[in-house]
Every structure is written in C-alpha cells, then in structure tokens.
Amino acid sequence: MPCPDEGTLRAWLDDEPSAAGAGEHLAGCAGCQDAVARLRLDARTAAHAVQLLHPAVEPDAEAVEVALEHATARSRLRAAVAPAGARAAATTVLPPADGAAAATPPRRRRGTPRARLGAAAAAAALALVAVVATPAGRGAAAAFLEQFRSDRFQPIEVDPAQAEQAFEQLDQLGTVSGDLQGAQPRPVASLAEASRRVGFTVRTPAPASLPAGVGGDPEIMVSPAHEVRFTFDLAKARRSLERDGRAGVELPARFDGASLVVSIPAGVVLVYGEQDLTRPGMLVGQAGRLRVSAEGVSLGELREFLLDLPGLSDATRRQLRAIDDWRTTLPLPIPAGQVRWSRSTVNGVEALVLAQPGIGAGLLWQQDGRIYGVAGNLPVQEVRGVAERLR
Amino acid sequence: MVAPARSASPRSAPADFDELFRGRYRELYSLSHRLLGDAAEAEDVVQEVFWRLAGTTMLDRPDEEIAAWLRRVCINATYNRLRGQRRAARRLERAARLDPGGPAEDALTGVLRDERRHAVRRALAALPERQRACLLLRHSGYSYAEIAAALEIATGSVGTLLARAERTFRHNYQEHEDALS
C-alpha cells in the first residue's frame, strides 16, 4: 500500500472512519510514523491554543433571551431599512436617471452612464441607518422607525419578508461589495463640522417649531458618501438557480460581469430627544442624491433582467413594472398593511407622508437636489411643523 | 415565477426562528468570541447572523443544513468584523485586555494568559481564511462532516486543510512564544 497522504494521516489521528485504513500501513512505515508524530504535535499545539480562547463566561439562559429580543427587533428593523437603502435599490428597481440622461433612450454601452435617483429614499435610509447603528438607539428605535421606512416617491407594497429575500438573492447571483463598515454614521461635534463633511449647509429646525419634549441639542451623526456595487456572476447565478430547481431561467451571457453601482450620498441625521419610545423623539435627515449607474450593460437592460429573475413576487413585479418613469423614480418598498402613505406637500414641494397609527409619522421630500426627511413618534402635524420650518 | 417557499407560510417562521436562536446562540457566540475576544462584539455578530437568517429561505431546510449555514455565516461575519477594524493588531491587543481569564486569577497569571491569548489570535489572524476556520472549528469540537458542511468542502478534504492549518499555526504561534520568552 502506498503511503497515505497527509490529510488522511491527519484524519486518522482524529479517528475519522474514512482514514481507518491508514492504521495498518502506519504500523510498518517509519516515514509515516514520523509524519504522524509531527502532525500530532501541530494538532496538540493548536488544540491547546484554541482552548485558551474559550470565553471565560458563557451566556446564561437570560442572556440568550435578551439577545433573542434584540435579534427580533433587529430583524424587523432590517426589513424596514433594507428596502430603503441601496441594497434594495439594487434589488428591486432600478435606477433612475434624470435630466439629460432621462431624455436619452436606453442603449447599450460600456462605461458608466451615471443616473440619478430622483427619489427621496436616501434620507430615510440614512436616518434609519443612523439610529440602527447607534447602539443606544437600536432596540428603542425599532418601532419608531417602522413608520419612517415607508417613504418614497413611489411606494411599493411588499411583504417585508420578501424584501429581505430579494437582498439575500443578490448574494446568490453575484457579489455585493462596498465599504459598508466605513460608511457607518458617526457622531460629529458640531453642525459646522457636519456641513463640512457632507458638503452642504445642514439645515436645522427652528427652535420654536420643536414639539414639546423634543427640545435641546440634537446628536449629530454623519455618514460618508460611499458606493455599493453588485457584480453579476453568471456561473454563480446558474449554480444557485439550479440548486433552487430553476435551471430553466434564462441568463444571457452578456450580463456576466455587469455591475450595478449605487452611490449613496453623504448624509447627516440630527437625533432629537431620548432614544426611548416612551418619550417624544425625532429625526431630521438630509442627504445628497442617490445615484445609480450600470457598467457593462445599460441600466434599462439590467433593470429588465433583474425584474425577470425569480425571487420577486408577482405583485411586487407588477408594481415595479407600472412605474413609467423608472429612471427618476425610486420605488420605496413599504410593509403592506402596516404603514399608511399619502402624498402631500412641504412648502409647496411634493412630499410623501407616512404614518403608522399609534407609533408616529414621517415626511419625505426633495428640494434643490437634496433629500430631506423628518420623522418622529409624533403626530403628523408636529412633524409637518418641523419640516416646514427647517432653516 | 415560483414564490420562495417561505413566503407561503410566513406565520410559522417566528416560532422556528426563536427555537433555532435559543438552540444555537451559545455555540455561535463561543465561535465568534474565540476570534473577537469581545463579548459585546460576539453578541452583535451572532445577532447579525440570525438577522440574515430571517431573510432567507433557510428556515425551511433540514436542521443540519441550517446549522452549517449558521456556522459559515457566523465565521464570515466574524472575519468581516475583524477586517473592518483597520488596525487589527491594536484591536487584538484590546481584545486580550478585555477578555479576563476569570475572577480567580492572580494578576501575574492574568497577564501571562492575556499575552498567550493575544499570541494565539495573532497566529490565527495570519492564516488564510479557510485554514483558520477549519482549525478553529476542529478545536472547538466540530466533526469533520460538520466542518465540511460549514466550509462547503468535501469531507475528504478536511484532513488536508487541517494539517496545513495546524502546521502554519504552530509555526506562527511559536514565533510569538519565542518572542515572549
């Protein structure tokens, strides 16, 4: 019998049944005995070392329950946040362009046709992300955010679980990359500093417009501009679809390597009040425009392609298809049956009103190339009062 | 199109989710904690893992598949966190300090233990990802089959990967040890 390979000898040390045959050979092979001695030493060193890393304290039953509560709150939040953020922009609909880009019919080209999202979701997303990213704000803000997730120029009613799945599916179809860690909102000391970081003058509510109990200096959170990129991988997508029993889905080869690039603008969020849902709290978010571009294929083609993929419900697909001017409209997935939305204006500019009865309200609008959002666990009129008096 | 199975019965999911969470939390926490050395961060990672689980169709799969998925995603999420921390070395030092060996230790034992732990994490950090995961899983008590499932490799390849990982690890680790003494 020839000498077993190193992997087999290592497995033999661990009594793996598949390597049982090596024992017989070992008895008569000095070379393999030496090899096993070395492997054993390596294994013992590693075992001893990893032993040192065992946590000194394991979580007890109560800690597990607390963690479960956090995780549940977070899942709900994620369902709310993800659709509003870039991930969902990439998943669900595609991207808008405006101005000249919108006037140009989609055509195939390489390079980066830059398209702008003419929609308001980014501010909401940033606001939500800011709170989610603040440890103190995480659990407490969950319900508060429920109503804020739902804003956008074209609300699309979805099953929240499905919006989540859409993102998970992206992972199966290619790679999602981007510096999401570095893009986390961070507190800054002053409005001047915030303005410098985001590149525009941050507006603040008039003190007299602040609802009772919401006064005081806000916490100022800034998140830097960053890019999230989804690159389609034909082979990976095929494997994934085959696994799911959908080998029949057509995947044109020319989409291999095509990318969808979502540029998320720098944003600032002013957090007023306690991060505690029993007291009034409010968020004022401001950001530049979200941009989406495609590389390798045109946005229009990529949109068609993604809309045809399995994973979206027929209802969602229908709503997305119904958007005529998709280049300037960012669809906003809202949890069906949970959030009410309506159209209104803020100082004469079109705005979306989102309300979750008993929890709070939010307003989202766009002005001068920027996206604004105000939301709180407050009545709509009070949110509006703040929104109309930003300065 | 065929709707994902889970959306057909979204109501049954939460109970399964809670049960899974309770059943797997400690295991995943320990796994993540070994690499991060920080209780709060480990908790955060595990929550992130379950948070992702809730959005997938994994809940409909058999238990072993879910477990393998959870371990894989947990390890990846832990690495992501380690990577996200630019000055990894600094980070590791902090981790070593934050990770007391237990109340009964005297100061000197504590210091030595911290140094060791620090050296272990450093040596692990220098391994290629797959090797690191393989070594960590094996010495955390996982079987070859479980490791293979978590890393999406053939069971027959575990021994080879492990042998390589342990050799490199010992080499790295002993360099640190030598430097200490």
Side-chain angles (χ1 to χ4, degrees), chain A residues 6 10 42 65 78 312, chain B residues 1 22 166-167 170:
Chain A
E6 185 181 64
R10 179 64 189 83
D42 291 344
E65 290 306 313
R78 169 97 182 263
L312 289 178
Chain B
M1 79 145 217
R22 292 193 183 98
E166 288 169 343
R167 181 166 50 242
R170 185 162 75 93

Side-chain angles (χ1 to χ4, degrees), chain B residues 111-131:
Chain B
V111 167
L112 283 176
R113 201 181 166 88
D114 285 352
E115 290 293 343
R116 284 254 149 69
R117 228 183 244 135
H118 178 108
V120 174
R121 291 206 172 95
R122 278 261 263 265
L124 277 176
L127 291 180
E129 286 192 11
R130 233 160 231 273
Q131 290 188 24

